[in-house]
Amino acid sequence: MAKNAIVTGSARGIGKAIATRLAKDGYNIVIVDACPIENSQETADEIAKLGVATKAVRCDVTDSAQVNELVESVKAEMGSVDILVNNAGITRDGLLVRMKEEDFDAVIAVNLKGTYNFTRAAAPIMMKQRSGRIVSISSIVGLQGNAGQVNYSASKAGVIGITKSVARELAPRGVTVNAIAPGYVETPMTAVLPDKVKEAMLGAIPAGRYGQPEDIANAVAFLCSEDASYITGQVLSVDGGMHM
Ligand code: NDP
C-alpha cells in the first residue's frame, strides 16, 4: 500500500516543491495550507498527474483543533501517516525596538506552535506504527540570527529545539525527526525583498547562486528515505555554503 505524506504550507513555494518531490517518490500527498482552498486544490491536481492520490485541506497550523482533526482524518481515510513535513512559515520583519508584540506573537504562532501542533498530532500515530519521518523546515536564521528578524530567528531556533527533543523521544519507536536549515531560497516569501538585500545575499553565498525550492525538496526526500533511517535529531543546512 502506498504511504502518505502531510506537507504543511504546500500550496506554493518550498512546500509545493517538497510535495511534488515526495509524490515522485511514490507518496500520496496531503496539501495543507491556510490559503483559499482553490489554490491548494490546484496544486493537488497538478501533483495528482504524477500518479499518486492527493488531498487538499484548508487548515491553519496555529489551530490545534483543526490540526488534530486533519491528522486523524488522514489516518482514518488513508490508513497511515508516514511523513510529516512542517514547512508552513511566515515573516513579520522589523528591528527589535520597532517590532510590535503582535508581529512577534504571529511568527511564533505559525512557525513554532504550528510545528508543535502537527508534530504532537502525528507522533502518537507514528509511534503506534513504529515508523515515520518528521522533517521541519527551520532556517539559517535560526542558527546564526539576523538583524530585523528577532521573531523569526526565535521561532526557527525553537523548531530546532523541538526537533532534537522529539527525536530523542521517538527514536526508540523507529521514528526519525530532523530539521533542514535553508539559506536564501527564491520563493514568493523572498521575492518581496528589496533588490539591494537580494544582491547582498548573493554575495554571501559561496556557491554563487540562490537556492531553489527543489534544493530543499531533495534534502527532505533524502531524510525521508530508507538510506536516512539512522539519522535523527540533526539539522541539515541546505544553503550553498552560507552557514558553516
Ligand atoms: P511562502 O510564503 O512562499 O509559502 C509559505 C506557505 O505557508 C504559504 O502557502 C502560506 O499560505 C502557508 N502558511 C502561512 N501561514 C500558514 C498557516 N497559519 N497555516 C497553514 N499554512 C500557512 O514561503 P517559502 O516557501 O519561502 O517558505 C517555506 C518555509 O521555508 C517557511 O517555513 C520558511 O520560513 C522557510 N524558509 C524559507 C527560506 C527562503 O529563503 N524562502 C529560507 C529559510 C527558511 P498563505 O498563502 O495563506 O500565506
Side-chain angles (χ1 to χ4, degrees):
M1 203 169 71
K3 292 184 168 183
N4 308 307
I6 299 174
V7 186
T8 70
S10 54
R12 67 172 195 219
I14 293 171
K16 180 179 176 183
I18 293 168
T20 304
R21 172 58 206 265
L22 292 176
K24 285 179 183 161
D25 289 349
Y27 290 92
N28 297 322
I29 302 293
V30 182
I31 303 284
V32 177
D33 210 292
C35 66
I37 190 68
E38 305 83 63
N39 300 5
S40 296
Q41 192 58 55
E42 201 176 302
T43 301
D45 291 345
E46 220 177 283
I47 291 175
K49 290 186 187 139
L50 296 166
V52 296
T54 61
K55 178 180 163 87
V57 189
R58 187 171 193 187
C59 170
D60 181 345
V61 299
T62 67
D63 184 330
S64 61
Q66 276 183 33
V67 171
N68 291 338
E69 193 185 322
L70 163 56
V71 174
E72 281 304 323
S73 78
V74 171
K75 163 81 178 133
E77 292 166 22
M78 300 170 83
S80 61
V81 178
D82 303 287
I83 294 176
L84 167 66
V85 183
N86 291 304
N87 165 81
I90 60 168
T91 51
R92 295 280 185 278
D93 297 349
L95 293 172
L96 171 68
V97 293
R98 288 197 217 124
M99 184 171 286
K100 295 197 191 94
E101 191 176 342
E102 70 225 43
D103 288 336
F104 185 86
D105 291 345
V107 169
I108 295 292
V110 176
N111 301 5
L112 185 58
K113 182 83 184 298
T115 297
Y116 163 79
N117 283 341
F118 262 95
T119 304
R120 171 75 183 82
I125 296 170
M126 291 181 172
M127 286 164 83
K128 218 177 236 177
Q129 289 169 181
R130 298 207 161 256
S131 72
R133 294 280 201 271
I134 300 173
V135 181
S136 299
I137 308 303
S138 176
S139 167
I140 185 172
V141 172
L143 294 168
Q144 61 183 35
N146 194 25
Q149 291 198 303
V150 67
N151 49 0
Y152 187 77
S153 65
S155 72
K156 294 299 188 179
V159 166
I160 293 171
I162 290 180
T163 298
K164 292 184 177 181
S165 300
V166 180
R168 288 180 188 278
E169 291 187 22
L170 301 193
R173 305 295 185 104
V175 179
T176 70
V177 189
N178 291 289
I180 288 176
Y184 181 102
V185 183
E186 282 187 309
T187 70
M189 181 183 268
T190 46
V192 296
L193 293 172
D195 285 344
K196 249 173 62 185
V197 174
K198 290 184 192 166
E199 279 162 31
M201 289 285 180
L202 190 56
I205 304 171
R209 69 167 177 88
Y210 299 122
Q212 296 303 312
E214 292 71 24
D215 293 314
I216 310 307
N218 291 340
V220 172
F222 167 65
L223 290 172
C224 292
S225 73
E226 202 42 46
D227 288 345
S229 62
Y230 201 53
I231 300 174
T232 198
Q234 301 306 306
V235 184
L236 178 58
S237 288
V238 183
D239 61 5
M242 255 180 126
H243 178 85
M244 295 186 193

Short mmCIF file of all heavy atoms in Angstrom, two decimals, residues 9 11-15 32-35 59-62 87-90 110-111 137-139 152 156 182-185 187-190, ligand 1:
data_model
loop_
_atom_site.label_atom_id
_atom_site.label_comp_id
_atom_site.label_asym_id
_atom_site.label_seq_id
_atom_site.Cartn_x
_atom_site.Cartn_y
_atom_site.Cartn_z
N GLY A 9 1.82 24.13 4.49
CA GLY A 9 2.21 25.29 3.70
C GLY A 9 2.66 24.91 2.30
O GLY A 9 3.63 25.46 1.78
N ALA A 11 0.82 24.79 -0.70
CA ALA A 11 0.13 25.24 -1.91
C ALA A 11 1.11 25.88 -2.89
O ALA A 11 0.88 25.89 -4.09
CB ALA A 11 -0.97 26.23 -1.54
N ARG A 12 2.22 26.41 -2.34
CA ARG A 12 3.19 27.11 -3.20
C ARG A 12 4.59 27.01 -2.58
O ARG A 12 4.78 26.41 -1.52
CB ARG A 12 2.79 28.58 -3.33
CG ARG A 12 2.92 29.32 -2.02
CD ARG A 12 2.71 30.81 -2.18
NE ARG A 12 3.18 31.51 -1.00
CZ ARG A 12 2.57 32.55 -0.44
NH1 ARG A 12 1.47 33.02 -0.97
NH2 ARG A 12 3.09 33.13 0.62
N GLY A 13 5.56 27.62 -3.27
CA GLY A 13 6.91 27.79 -2.73
C GLY A 13 7.62 26.48 -2.42
O GLY A 13 7.47 25.47 -3.13
N ILE A 14 8.41 26.49 -1.34
CA ILE A 14 9.20 25.33 -0.96
C ILE A 14 8.30 24.13 -0.66
O ILE A 14 8.61 23.00 -1.05
CB ILE A 14 10.09 25.67 0.27
CG1 ILE A 14 11.15 26.72 -0.12
CG2 ILE A 14 10.75 24.42 0.83
CD1 ILE A 14 11.94 27.28 1.06
N GLY A 15 7.18 24.37 0.02
CA GLY A 15 6.27 23.28 0.37
C GLY A 15 5.75 22.56 -0.86
O GLY A 15 5.65 21.32 -0.88
N VAL A 32 -1.58 20.87 2.80
CA VAL A 32 -2.20 21.63 3.88
C VAL A 32 -1.78 23.08 3.73
O VAL A 32 -0.58 23.37 3.63
CB VAL A 32 -1.70 21.12 5.26
CG1 VAL A 32 -2.29 21.96 6.38
CG2 VAL A 32 -2.02 19.65 5.45
N ASP A 33 -2.74 23.98 3.72
CA ASP A 33 -2.39 25.39 3.62
C ASP A 33 -3.53 26.24 4.15
O ASP A 33 -4.68 25.80 4.17
CB ASP A 33 -2.07 25.77 2.17
CG ASP A 33 -1.05 26.89 2.08
OD1 ASP A 33 -1.40 28.04 2.47
OD2 ASP A 33 0.07 26.65 1.62
N ALA A 34 -3.19 27.47 4.56
CA ALA A 34 -4.22 28.40 5.06
C ALA A 34 -4.81 29.23 3.93
O ALA A 34 -5.78 29.95 4.15
CB ALA A 34 -3.60 29.31 6.11
N CYS A 35 -4.25 29.14 2.75
CA CYS A 35 -4.71 29.95 1.62
C CYS A 35 -6.08 29.44 1.15
O CYS A 35 -6.52 28.37 1.56
CB CYS A 35 -3.69 29.89 0.49
SG CYS A 35 -3.55 28.25 -0.24
N CYS A 59 -6.30 24.50 6.36
CA CYS A 59 -6.07 24.33 7.79
C CYS A 59 -5.04 25.36 8.25
O CYS A 59 -4.02 25.55 7.60
CB CYS A 59 -5.56 22.91 8.05
SG CYS A 59 -4.96 22.59 9.72
N ASP A 60 -5.36 26.01 9.35
CA ASP A 60 -4.43 26.97 9.95
C ASP A 60 -3.58 26.21 10.96
O ASP A 60 -4.11 25.66 11.94
CB ASP A 60 -5.25 28.07 10.63
CG ASP A 60 -4.37 29.13 11.27
OD1 ASP A 60 -3.16 28.90 11.44
OD2 ASP A 60 -4.91 30.21 11.59
N VAL A 61 -2.27 26.17 10.74
CA VAL A 61 -1.40 25.35 11.61
C VAL A 61 -1.41 25.83 13.06
O VAL A 61 -1.01 25.09 13.96
CB VAL A 61 0.06 25.29 11.09
CG1 VAL A 61 0.14 24.66 9.71
CG2 VAL A 61 0.73 26.66 11.12
N THR A 62 -1.88 27.06 13.30
CA THR A 62 -1.89 27.57 14.67
C THR A 62 -3.08 27.04 15.48
O THR A 62 -3.12 27.21 16.69
CB THR A 62 -1.94 29.12 14.70
OG1 THR A 62 -3.20 29.56 14.20
CG2 THR A 62 -0.82 29.73 13.88
N ASN A 87 6.40 22.75 7.18
CA ASN A 87 7.02 23.74 6.30
C ASN A 87 6.35 25.11 6.38
O ASN A 87 6.99 26.11 6.09
CB ASN A 87 6.96 23.20 4.85
CG ASN A 87 7.23 24.28 3.83
OD1 ASN A 87 8.38 24.62 3.56
ND2 ASN A 87 6.18 24.86 3.25
N ALA A 88 5.09 25.17 6.81
CA ALA A 88 4.38 26.46 6.82
C ALA A 88 5.16 27.47 7.65
O ALA A 88 5.62 27.16 8.75
CB ALA A 88 2.97 26.29 7.40
N GLY A 89 5.31 28.66 7.11
CA GLY A 89 6.07 29.67 7.85
C GLY A 89 5.77 31.05 7.32
O GLY A 89 5.37 31.22 6.17
N ILE A 90 5.94 32.04 8.20
CA ILE A 90 5.73 33.44 7.81
C ILE A 90 6.87 34.30 8.36
O ILE A 90 7.59 33.88 9.26
CB ILE A 90 4.38 34.01 8.33
CG1 ILE A 90 4.32 33.96 9.87
CG2 ILE A 90 3.20 33.26 7.72
CD1 ILE A 90 3.16 34.76 10.47
N VAL A 110 2.77 30.68 14.10
CA VAL A 110 2.78 29.87 12.87
C VAL A 110 4.01 28.96 12.85
O VAL A 110 3.91 27.74 12.69
CB VAL A 110 2.76 30.76 11.60
CG1 VAL A 110 2.88 29.89 10.35
CG2 VAL A 110 1.48 31.60 11.56
N ASN A 111 5.19 29.55 13.00
CA ASN A 111 6.43 28.80 12.76
C ASN A 111 6.74 27.79 13.88
O ASN A 111 7.19 26.68 13.60
CB ASN A 111 7.62 29.76 12.62
CG ASN A 111 7.44 30.74 11.47
OD1 ASN A 111 6.39 30.79 10.84
ND2 ASN A 111 8.45 31.54 11.21
N ILE A 137 11.08 22.51 8.63
CA ILE A 137 11.90 23.48 7.92
C ILE A 137 12.24 24.63 8.87
O ILE A 137 11.38 25.45 9.22
CB ILE A 137 11.20 24.01 6.64
CG1 ILE A 137 10.72 22.84 5.76
CG2 ILE A 137 12.15 24.93 5.87
CD1 ILE A 137 11.81 21.86 5.31
N SER A 138 13.49 24.65 9.30
CA SER A 138 14.00 25.74 10.13
C SER A 138 14.56 26.80 9.19
O SER A 138 13.99 27.08 8.14
CB SER A 138 15.05 25.19 11.10
OG SER A 138 15.63 26.22 11.86
N SER A 139 15.71 27.37 9.53
CA SER A 139 16.31 28.41 8.67
C SER A 139 17.73 28.67 9.14
O SER A 139 18.05 28.50 10.32
CB SER A 139 15.51 29.70 8.78
OG SER A 139 16.22 30.79 8.20
N TYR A 152 11.45 35.82 13.92
CA TYR A 152 11.67 34.69 13.01
C TYR A 152 12.82 33.81 13.50
O TYR A 152 12.71 32.57 13.50
CB TYR A 152 11.96 35.25 11.62
CG TYR A 152 12.04 34.24 10.51
CD1 TYR A 152 10.90 33.67 9.95
CD2 TYR A 152 13.28 33.87 9.97
CE1 TYR A 152 10.98 32.77 8.91
CE2 TYR A 152 13.37 32.96 8.93
CZ TYR A 152 12.22 32.42 8.40
OH TYR A 152 12.31 31.51 7.36
N LYS A 156 12.59 29.88 14.55
CA LYS A 156 13.33 28.84 13.81
C LYS A 156 14.36 28.13 14.71
O LYS A 156 14.65 26.95 14.50
CB LYS A 156 14.00 29.45 12.57
CG LYS A 156 12.99 29.94 11.52
CD LYS A 156 12.11 28.80 11.00
CE LYS A 156 11.26 29.21 9.82
NZ LYS A 156 10.44 28.11 9.30
N PRO A 182 17.40 25.98 5.49
CA PRO A 182 17.71 26.58 4.18
C PRO A 182 18.39 27.93 4.36
O PRO A 182 18.21 28.61 5.37
CB PRO A 182 16.32 26.77 3.54
CG PRO A 182 15.35 26.00 4.37
CD PRO A 182 15.94 25.95 5.75
N GLY A 183 19.17 28.30 3.34
CA GLY A 183 19.72 29.66 3.30
C GLY A 183 18.71 30.55 2.61
O GLY A 183 17.56 30.63 3.03
N TYR A 184 19.13 31.18 1.51
CA TYR A 184 18.23 32.06 0.77
C TYR A 184 17.65 31.27 -0.41
O TYR A 184 18.38 30.82 -1.27
CB TYR A 184 19.00 33.27 0.26
CG TYR A 184 18.15 34.26 -0.51
CD1 TYR A 184 17.70 35.43 0.08
CD2 TYR A 184 17.79 34.00 -1.82
CE1 TYR A 184 16.91 36.32 -0.62
CE2 TYR A 184 16.99 34.89 -2.53
CZ TYR A 184 16.56 36.05 -1.93
OH TYR A 184 15.77 36.92 -2.63
N VAL A 185 16.33 31.11 -0.42
CA VAL A 185 15.68 30.33 -1.48
C VAL A 185 14.72 31.25 -2.25
O VAL A 185 13.96 32.01 -1.62
CB VAL A 185 14.90 29.14 -0.89
CG1 VAL A 185 14.29 28.29 -2.00
CG2 VAL A 185 15.81 28.30 0.00
N THR A 187 11.56 32.20 -3.59
CA THR A 187 10.13 31.83 -3.46
C THR A 187 9.34 33.13 -3.31
O THR A 187 9.93 34.21 -3.17
CB THR A 187 9.88 30.99 -2.18
OG1 THR A 187 10.04 31.83 -1.04
CG2 THR A 187 10.78 29.78 -2.08
N PRO A 188 7.99 33.03 -3.27
CA PRO A 188 7.20 34.25 -3.03
C PRO A 188 7.61 34.96 -1.74
O PRO A 188 7.50 36.19 -1.63
CB PRO A 188 5.76 33.71 -2.94
CG PRO A 188 5.77 32.47 -3.78
CD PRO A 188 7.13 31.87 -3.59
N MET A 189 8.12 34.19 -0.72
CA MET A 189 8.49 34.81 0.56
C MET A 189 9.66 35.77 0.39
O MET A 189 9.69 36.84 1.00
CB MET A 189 8.86 33.72 1.59
CG MET A 189 9.25 34.27 2.95
SD MET A 189 9.77 32.98 4.11
CE MET A 189 8.23 32.60 4.92
N THR A 190 10.63 35.41 -0.45
CA THR A 190 11.83 36.24 -0.62
C THR A 190 11.70 37.20 -1.80
O THR A 190 12.48 38.15 -1.91
CB THR A 190 13.08 35.35 -0.80
OG1 THR A 190 12.79 34.32 -1.76
CG2 THR A 190 13.50 34.71 0.50
P1 NDP B 1 5.95 31.00 1.11
O1 NDP B 1 5.46 32.25 1.78
O2 NDP B 1 6.16 31.04 -0.36
O3 NDP B 1 4.98 29.78 1.44
C1 NDP B 1 4.57 29.53 2.76
C2 NDP B 1 3.24 28.82 2.72
O4 NDP B 1 2.82 28.61 4.08
C3 NDP B 1 2.16 29.65 2.04
O5 NDP B 1 1.44 28.85 1.14
C4 NDP B 1 1.31 30.11 3.21
O6 NDP B 1 -0.06 30.29 2.90
C5 NDP B 1 1.46 28.96 4.18
N1 NDP B 1 1.06 29.40 5.52
C6 NDP B 1 1.34 30.57 6.14
N2 NDP B 1 0.75 30.61 7.33
C7 NDP B 1 0.06 29.45 7.48
C8 NDP B 1 -0.76 28.92 8.50
N3 NDP B 1 -1.02 29.61 9.63
N4 NDP B 1 -1.31 27.69 8.32
C9 NDP B 1 -1.08 26.99 7.17
N5 NDP B 1 -0.32 27.45 6.17
C10 NDP B 1 0.25 28.67 6.32
O7 NDP B 1 7.29 30.62 1.88
P2 NDP B 1 8.54 29.70 1.43
O8 NDP B 1 8.12 28.63 0.51
O9 NDP B 1 9.65 30.62 1.05
O10 NDP B 1 8.95 29.11 2.85
C11 NDP B 1 8.62 27.80 3.28
C12 NDP B 1 9.32 27.53 4.59
O11 NDP B 1 10.73 27.64 4.41
C13 NDP B 1 8.96 28.50 5.70
O12 NDP B 1 8.90 27.83 6.94
C14 NDP B 1 10.12 29.47 5.69
O13 NDP B 1 10.29 30.09 6.94
C15 NDP B 1 11.26 28.54 5.36
N6 NDP B 1 12.43 29.18 4.83
C16 NDP B 1 12.38 29.88 3.65
C17 NDP B 1 13.52 30.48 3.15
C18 NDP B 1 13.52 31.25 1.87
O14 NDP B 1 14.57 31.81 1.53
N7 NDP B 1 12.44 31.28 1.10
C19 NDP B 1 14.80 30.40 3.87
C20 NDP B 1 14.75 29.64 5.07
C21 NDP B 1 13.61 29.05 5.53
P3 NDP B 1 -0.72 31.73 2.67
O15 NDP B 1 -0.78 31.89 1.19
O16 NDP B 1 -2.05 31.64 3.29
O17 NDP B 1 0.17 32.73 3.34
#
